[in-house]
């Protein structure tokens, strides 16, 4: 499984490692995100997005991570239930498994799980309704309540968030919450696409759950 590194981008030691990064990798592969979709423009494959997956040599990468104050995350990933309130102008809703308004966001969120091998699910609208949790109530719901609902939905715990469009920021403002071992964690990103907001959510959750501390 892939390592999770906390705060490594700002460490001066990373610059010295870049030139020999290839020596840490046992093998790598590319995955075409548009696999199965025929080429449909003049530029062909040049504009097709790909994911790069690297498989690291544990005997080499583990000491590197330790030197950076981090460690690999070898445990099975927990399944997270996503409790998200979205707002854009007068339009607002809770992201659920069965509401068409959130179809694009659900697809984007699932795509964000891939690089970190995370697993997520979305609650049914009926569950939120029975719990009297509309999008406004979700923003203030305590994590203990959401964790209980997550387990009821078939997940291990909850990842809660709010996503608000800002004309001033020219993008979304996303706030995320997750509880682990009795501690509540919060992190935020501003002025981004919702694709990036969900990637930030997944990276932050992975950092916390892997024992690497508070997301930046």
């Amino acid at each position: 499984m892939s390592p999770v590194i906390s705060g490594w981008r700002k460490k001066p030691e990373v610059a010295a490692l870049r030139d020999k990064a290839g020596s840490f990798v046992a093998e790598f592969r590319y995955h075409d995100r548009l696999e199965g979709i025929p080429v449909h423009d003049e530029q062909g494959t040049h504009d097709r997005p790909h994911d790069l997956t690297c498989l690291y040599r544990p005997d080499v990468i583990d000491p590197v991570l330790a030197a950076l104050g981090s460690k690999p995350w070898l445990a099975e990933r927990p399944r997270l239930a996503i409790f998200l309130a979205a707002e854009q102008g007068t339009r607002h809703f809770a992201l659920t498994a069965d509401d068409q308004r959130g179809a694009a966001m659900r697809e984007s969120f699932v795509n964000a799980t891939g690089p970190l091998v995370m697993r997520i699910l979305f609650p049914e609208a009926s569950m939120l309704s029975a719990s009297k949790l509309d999008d406004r109530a979700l923003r203030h719901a305590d994590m203990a309540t959401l964790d209980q609902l997550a387990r009821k939905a078939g997940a291990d715990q909850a990842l809660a968030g709010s996503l608000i469009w800002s004309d001033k920021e020219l993008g979304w403002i996303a706030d995320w919450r997750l509880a682990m071992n009795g501690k509540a964690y919060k992190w935020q990103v501003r002025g981004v696409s919702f694709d990036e907001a969900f990637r930030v959510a997944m990276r932050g959750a992975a950092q916390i759950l892997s024992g690497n501390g508070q997301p930046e």
Side-chain angles (χ1 to χ4, degrees):
M1 293 186 178
S2 60
V4 175
I5 305 175
S6 173
W8 61 269
R9 294 175 182 84
K10 297 180 180 179
K11 291 179 178 287
E13 302 96 310
V14 171
L17 294 173
R18 288 192 184 117
D19 291 340
K20 53 183 178 180
S23 65
F24 307 149
V25 178
E27 59 181 279
F28 66 91
R29 59 179 177 266
Y30 289 97
H31 173 251
D32 183 354
R33 294 186 187 176
L34 302 181
E35 184 178 10
I37 300 176
V39 173
H40 56 276
D41 56 47
E42 293 180 358
Q43 293 183 320
T45 59
H46 294 290
D47 282 349
R48 294 174 75 88
H50 288 75
D51 291 321
L52 169 63
T53 299
C54 294
L55 301 180
Y56 295 90
R57 295 168 50 192
D59 60 320
V60 175
I61 197 64
D62 286 0
V64 172
L65 293 175
L68 293 171
S70 189
K71 58 186 177 181
W73 186 14
L74 303 178
E76 182 179 358
R77 270 58 165 162
R79 185 184 298 274
L80 300 177
I82 306 300
F83 295 95
L84 176 65
E87 179 181 328
Q88 185 174 20
T90 59
R91 181 173 177 258
H92 56 89
F93 61 93
L95 186 63
T96 63
D98 46 0
D99 188 333
Q100 275 303 111
R101 291 175 296 179
M105 288 186 177
R106 288 195 299 271
E107 181 180 1
S108 175
F109 225 136
V110 170
N111 289 340
T113 67
L116 292 167
V117 203
M118 298 288 282
R119 300 178 298 152
I120 61 173
L121 61 78
F122 303 99
E124 300 286 340
S126 58
M127 172 181 283
L128 295 186
S129 178
S131 303
K132 294 181 171 55
L133 286 173
D134 60 12
D135 59 290
R136 300 187 190 281
L138 275 178
R139 295 178 189 172
H140 307 289
D142 65 88
M143 291 306 301
T145 297
L146 296 181
D147 280 341
Q148 289 179 351
L149 285 176
R151 290 188 287 272
K152 184 177 179 181
D156 297 297
Q157 65 184 97
L159 171 61
S162 68
L163 192 65
I164 301 175
W165 176 262
S166 170
D167 289 334
K168 181 180 178 181
E169 298 279 354
L170 297 177
W172 297 92
I173 299 173
D175 289 275
W176 302 105
R177 297 183 290 142
L178 186 145
M180 182 180 178
N181 297 330
K183 181 177 180 179
Y185 292 86
K186 297 180 180 180
W187 64 106
Q188 184 189 78
V189 65
R190 305 174 68 90
V192 297
S193 66
F194 64 67
D195 295 314
E196 178 60 16
F198 300 153
R199 287 191 286 265
V200 168
M202 287 294 96
R203 289 196 296 263
Q207 184 166 324
I208 295 164
L209 295 168
S210 64
N212 282 289
Q214 173 68 41
E216 298 177 354

